[in-house]
Amino acid sequence: MITDKPVSVTGASGFIAAHIVKQLLEQGYRVRGTVRKNQKNYPFLLGLAGASERLELVEADLLRTGAFDLAVDGCEYVMHTASPYELNVKNPQKDLVDPAVNGTETVLESCLKTGCVKRVIFTSSIAAITDEPDSMKVFTEKDWNTMSSLERNPYHYSKTLAEREAWDFVMRKRPSFDLISINPFMVIGSSLGPSLNTSNRMIRDIMIGTYPGIMDVNWGFVDVQDVAKAHILAMENNTASGRYLCSGNIMNMKELVALLKTAGFGSYPLPKLDLSGQAGTLLMKALSFTQPRDTGMYIRTNIGRTMHYDNEKIKRELGLSFIPLKDSIIATVKDLVKWGHLPPQKNEK
Ligand code: NDP
């Protein structure tokens, strides 16, 4: 334990943040989490082991200036995870960019004001590194997404601008705290709360036959427990610095569907038609225009391209090892069934 002061976690109700809160409590830390509604709405947080003695929830909205003053007051460590995570929104500026960027500034201003913060761990994303895999390139922490905009992958744009704002803030204001960013790719695994997270929804959609076939797309997967652990390791490790790409194995859709079958989920309507060849990619690019605007854009900028990245820094400097992907996938599917996001398999009813 490196502090007896509460560790502040913004967006504590979120998929990733709830696991951060759980792990911090398990390790004996006091936690102050921010939520948007009355704290009675979060029994899954209030029921965590250690919560009754060491968790307090305070209300804060990213769009309200000064909203995080109380949340970080007297804290030495702040984990800023709150940010809208949605691909399709009506108004990308208002719904994604404003809360992500202005919210980051608001949280950092509150950290500056309280004066005792030593480190801020910022939950960024692979989205701030790239929105378009490049089959010829291995992405690292040195890369920045320069292609997204309000029209092109606006979620990626919001994460890029928010992380840039965080680094610019520490350059501009030279606060007493340092900044670390954790940049995960597709975060999956068990959810502590009832909401269906955008990344677990992608697994659910594959399992309920939403996609017409197996496309040539791939993702880097990371278990939500590992992402939470990475935040805590980044807080506790004195020599941690800069950005950390936080993702385990890369897997394409064909391999993912095969894994789901061998893991015993073959009775779900998994996609069968193989559209992962060149003709399939052309067809899917054409069909992407029938999808919601931002899903279509994501497909067009990702299909037919293979992602490569180097995740050595987080393993070497923070000592993080990744939960095997098969275990995370199985946990995700069981959890989707548990929360009613996915019907049970016929033989399990
Ligand atoms: P969730 O949607 O589960 O959590 C987002 C959190 O942000 C929620 O607590 C939400 O509150 C809060 N939030 C959103 N808008 C506001 C606002 N205006 N004011 C205050 N709080 C707000 O997503 P994740 O847990 O997956 O994401 C957490 C972070 O991780 C985000 O920054 C996301 O970009 C990043 N990330 C996620 C990845 C993933 O695959 N899941 C991958 C890479 C990065 P409420 O519950 O009230 O809606």
Side-chain angles (χ1 to χ4, degrees), residues 178-308:
D178 65 1
L179 177 73
I180 307 277
S181 82
I182 304 291
N183 297 58
F185 202 148
M186 188 71 88
V187 185
I188 57 168
S190 302
S191 176
L192 298 176
S195 322
L196 176 57
N197 182 265
T198 300
S199 39
N200 276 352
R201 188 186 302 145
M202 192 277 293
I203 305 278
R204 194 275 310 261
D205 288 350
I206 289 178
M207 302 197 67
I208 59 171
T210 303
Y211 299 100
I214 298 170
M215 296 180 274
D216 184 11
V217 283
N218 50 91
W219 305 273
F221 288 100
V222 56
D223 195 285
V224 64
Q225 296 172 81
D226 286 339
V227 178
K229 196 168 167 188
H231 282 72
I232 298 173
L233 290 170
M235 173 182 86
E236 293 178 333
N237 191 322
N238 251 339
T239 56
S241 71
R243 309 171 88 193
Y244 288 96
L245 217 156
C246 179
S247 197
N249 285 0
I250 296 176
M251 191 171 260
N252 64 35
M253 192 168 176
K254 199 179 213 170
E255 293 163 332
L256 179 60
V257 170
L259 191 155
L260 286 165
K261 276 189 198 150
T262 55
F265 304 117
S267 70
Y268 284 99
L270 296 166
K272 288 196 176 65
L273 187 63
D274 190 349
L275 296 172
S276 64
Q278 275 185 358
T281 293
L282 281 176
L283 175 69
M284 286 312 301
K285 275 192 183 168
L287 286 177
S288 71
F289 288 95
T290 64
Q291 293 291 314
R293 186 191 59 195
D294 299 316
T295 305
M297 177 59 81
Y298 180 80
I299 291 174
R300 289 191 291 286
T301 47
N302 279 261
I303 197 165
R305 296 167 167 272
T306 305
M307 182 69 171
H308 302 284

Side-chain angles (χ1 to χ4, degrees), residues 11 13 15-16 36 62 81 85 124 155 159 185 187 197 199:
S13 55
F15 176 50
I16 295 173
R36 278 200 281 185
L62 292 169
T81 83
Y85 178 34
S124 187
Y155 165 72
K159 293 302 289 179
F185 202 148
V187 185
N197 182 265
S199 39

Side-chain angles (χ1 to χ4, degrees), residues 98-112:
D98 288 351
V101 179
N102 303 348
T104 296
E105 194 181 358
T106 297
V107 170
L108 295 179
E109 279 294 352
S110 297
C111 294
L112 193 65

Side-chain angles (χ1 to χ4, degrees), residues 30-45:
R30 289 168 58 204
V31 182
R32 189 179 300 146
T34 76
V35 288
R36 278 200 281 185
K37 299 181 199 130
N38 185 298
Q39 57 164 296
K40 293 205 181 82
N41 289 290
Y42 306 96
F44 64 94
L45 291 175

